[in-house]
Amino acid sequence: METKLVQPLLLVLVVLSIGLVSWLFRDKNEEAVFKKLKLFPRWFKFVGLFIVICGVSVPWIFQGLLVDGGNHLGSIYIIFGLFLICFSRDKIEDEMSNIIRLKSFYRSFGAGVVGFFFLTYIENSISDDFSQLSADTLLAVILGFYLVSYYVTKSKIRSAE
């Protein structure tokens, strides 16, 4: 019963991902491409937030979606929702926000890799056998740190103006 429900949910996620990527890279006039980043519209933030909330809550409501007591399907949806939030436009999108995005991405990538190795070290120091954390943990740490870094930096700059 559980695998019958998981497979269609993963298929929906794959189809949505392919559709979003094809929409993101559709042809635009040259002026718009060089002046702006290729980002989703602002309302995708709300869609991403809804997907994150559903990814957290739905597998715990329907216990059949839990695999070995873990929310693995929900973590995929959480990463997809964080991806939509990260790559959506803000209300005011200017050169300063593009610079903040760039700085937040390289900060989050560096912190994500360091955090990934740190969490792997902590997990292996507690348990007896060696195990490495999964890639979805790395993606969630990078995307989460990006969101925190972006909005903290943006609020500091906006408050200084």
Side-chain angles (χ1 to χ4, degrees):
M1 178 67 184
E2 296 158 0
T3 59
K4 290 181 183 179
L5 187 59
V6 170
Q7 289 176 349
L9 289 174
L10 286 175
L11 180 65
V12 166
L13 186 64
V14 168
V15 169
L16 281 175
S17 300
I18 291 170
L20 288 173
V21 168
S22 66
W23 180 82
L24 188 61
F25 292 109
R26 74 179 194 276
D27 289 333
K28 297 179 183 177
N29 61 11
E30 288 183 15
E31 186 175 301
V33 171
F34 291 118
K35 287 188 175 181
K36 296 179 183 178
L37 289 175
K38 292 183 178 183
L39 298 170
F40 296 121
R42 184 171 180 255
W43 57 272
F44 272 66
K45 284 188 188 290
F46 303 112
V47 172
L49 184 63
F50 178 74
I51 290 173
V52 168
I53 291 170
C54 288
V56 170
S57 61
V58 168
W60 297 107
I61 294 171
F62 301 107
Q63 295 293 322
L65 294 176
L66 295 175
V67 178
D68 296 331
N71 188 6
H72 300 291
L73 182 65
S75 66
I76 293 171
Y77 276 95
I78 290 169
I79 290 170
F80 184 68
L82 287 174
F83 174 80
L84 289 179
I85 294 170
C86 288
F87 291 105
S88 298
R89 293 194 176 283
D90 283 338
K91 191 172 187 177
I92 300 171
E93 194 72 35
D94 54 358
E95 291 179 9
M96 182 60 73
S97 61
N98 289 342
I99 292 170
I100 295 170
R101 280 185 195 279
L102 178 65
K103 288 183 179 182
S104 296
F105 271 121
Y106 75 74
R107 284 182 199 146
S108 65
F109 182 77
V113 170
V114 169
F116 180 75
F117 289 126
F118 179 72
L119 289 175
T120 303
Y121 172 75
I122 293 296
E123 183 177 324
N124 289 321
S125 66
I126 292 173
S127 66
D128 293 335
D129 58 339
F130 180 78
S131 64
Q132 188 176 6
L133 295 176
S134 61
D136 60 346
T137 304
L138 176 63
L139 280 173
V141 168
I142 288 174
L143 292 173
F145 192 81
Y146 164 76
L147 286 174
V148 170
S149 174
Y150 177 72
Y151 286 111
V152 167
T153 306
K154 188 174 178 180
S155 67
K156 284 182 182 179
I157 289 176
R158 299 287 184 213
S159 65
E161 291 179 350

